[in-house]
Amino acid sequence: MATAAPAKFPTVDKCDSTRREKHTAVADMDGTLLIGRSLFPYFALVAFEAGGILRLLLLLLASPLAALLYHLVSERAGIQVLIFSTFAGMKVADIESVARAVLPKFYTADLHPESWRVFSACGRRVVLTANPRIMVEPTLRDFLGADLVLGTEIAAFRGRATGFVKGGAAGVLVGESKAHALRGALGEDYQPEIGLGDRHTDEPFMALCKEGFMVPPDPEVRPVSADNLPKPVVFHDGRLVQKPTPLTALLTLLWLPVGFPLACLRVAAGSLLPMPLVYHAFTALGVRVTVRGNPPPPSSGGGVLFVCSHRTLLDPIFLSAALGRPVPAVVYSVSRLSELISPIRTVRLSRDRAADAAMIRKLLSEGDLAICPEGTTCREPFLLRFSALFAELTDEIVPVAMVNRMGMFHGTAARGWKGMDPFYFFMNPSPAYEVTFLSKLPAELTCGSGRKSGHEVANYIQRVIAATVSYECTTFTRKDKYRALAGNDGIVAS
């Protein structure tokens, strides 16, 4: 159990972080590098994202026992219960995938400012943690610049975690086990300059350092802002929006039997009702739709190309709801289920430039068309690179800025079955979409009349949309996202 900082170690705010470039810092994780002292939320994320609803329920049922053992018997015993409840029988590859794609967003959002000030100032960074190394290493190395991560090693058999740890109870890095692991990794005679901890069980490894500093509990402390992180988390995956504390996890599980039928009802309303009624149906069913700007009227001749920022695969549907008429959309890849329940026509791009250009021209000759030139969604306030193909095919372009808000579930996923994306979005108690129509692109800024290049037009539209919603432009692409989160190119087989 966390205790007040012992007098023999000063608090971390007393540590001078200047001229530390050649020094080594060794830090605990929960309660030290992170503000939160509870391990449960991160185990819950792995349980839900890799194991599903039943695994999260099992962990939630086991958490009271884990808490009793942690506080009344030993930290090791409590952590072992969490590890077994979360990992037993789970594929190691699935754990690694969640650790790489889901956990960095939550870990970096809880970074302690004083600990980070000291830790980031040192040239060599080592983390000692009771957490399973497989869970924390991707975040610590890729986003926080750790050079060495020493954590609890989970046991596995034929690619699946057994729920136990290597080395038995002593394999959970707590107390003397941390000191032993540190000596084994750095050598018996090596003495790190700084040790950071937050509880009495961190004292053994802190005593091996030239200086030790405690991080006292402070409910008023605020985490490091995203702007001050060494590397922004542009891409992340997973369905849960909020960090799942025990109460949040319980409320999520209790909501699911209500939320899924509600989602089905909302999907049915969007799919079956005439488009002029969809906006009002969504409002009646708790889906907030805000329309800004001046939506253009239906075109009499050739169609208008609506160029949208991409937040979920529902973007063209909410665009159509805002216009009060169905607008077909070209898509890079979409699941068969999503095509079946879509109230608008969706046409797949073949990734053959000539064939795609001919198809888009044909669709525009028939009427209005929607396209999301980023090619994939991004959850954070960033816009990915806009493909330039659309700009070369028409001068009738209306940029549209899309913003959505979800309180419980994300409506996109890079891993798993994408057919569930619309259902997860509509399972939120009160999801919201904001559709902002910008001014039609002036003739002098188009490829035809203005003789601009496709890349110039695409970049201009990206900047205009980003400025409207206060997002940041990037050069990342669809492949960058899916290779980072799922290890593939993000193509959904038809």
Side-chain angles (χ1 to χ4, degrees), residues 396-418:
E396 302 295 312
I397 296 174
V398 174
V400 184
M402 294 286 186
V403 176
N404 57 21
R405 295 177 183 86
M406 297 151 285
M408 189 173 285
F409 301 108
H410 285 294
T412 60
R415 301 159 42 256
W417 186 35
K418 295 183 69 63

Side-chain angles (χ1 to χ4, degrees), residues 49 236-241 310-315 318 334 338 377-379 404-415 417-428 431-433 481-482:
E49 304 295 353
H236 61 94
D237 204 22
R239 293 294 188 183
L240 296 179
V241 173
H310 203 8
R311 308 313 287 174
T312 75
L313 59 80
L314 298 172
D315 293 334
F318 280 95
V334 66
S338 297
T377 59
C378 182
R379 296 174 177 178
N404 57 21
R405 295 177 183 86
M406 297 151 285
M408 189 173 285
F409 301 108
H410 285 294
T412 60
R415 301 159 42 256
W417 186 35
K418 295 183 69 63
M420 287 300 294
D421 284 1
F423 293 93
Y424 270 106
F425 176 83
F426 284 120
M427 271 199 291
N428 285 284
Y433 243 95
K481 170 186 170 179
Y482 279 90

Side-chain angles (χ1 to χ4, degrees), residues 468-491:
T468 301
V469 292
S470 299
Y471 284 5
E472 182 178 336
C473 296
T474 75
T475 57
F476 292 121
T477 65
R478 175 188 185 88
K479 287 186 177 181
D480 293 326
K481 170 186 170 179
Y482 279 90
R483 286 173 179 172
L485 298 183
N488 58 52
D489 288 344
I491 301 174

Side-chain angles (χ1 to χ4, degrees), residues 88-135:
M90 191 177 286
K91 290 182 179 179
V92 173
D94 290 341
I95 301 171
E96 292 173 337
S97 179
V98 173
R100 180 182 65 250
V102 179
L103 295 184
K105 169 64 177 176
F106 293 92
Y107 279 134
T108 56
D110 197 37
L111 202 57
H112 196 294
E114 281 299 313
S115 302
W116 177 244
R117 174 182 63 83
V118 177
F119 189 73
S120 62
C122 295
R124 188 182 187 191
R125 306 167 190 173
V126 179
V127 177
L128 273 171
T129 177
N131 283 285
R133 181 185 55 81
I134 192 174
M135 278 176 56

Side-chain angles (χ1 to χ4, degrees), residues 16 71 94 143 200 225 263 291 320 329 363 371 374 377 410 417 488:
D16 181 6
H71 291 284
D94 290 341
F143 291 91
H200 68 89
S225 66
V291 181
S320 297
L363 292 170
I371 189 171
E374 290 171 277
T377 59
H410 285 294
W417 186 35
N488 58 52

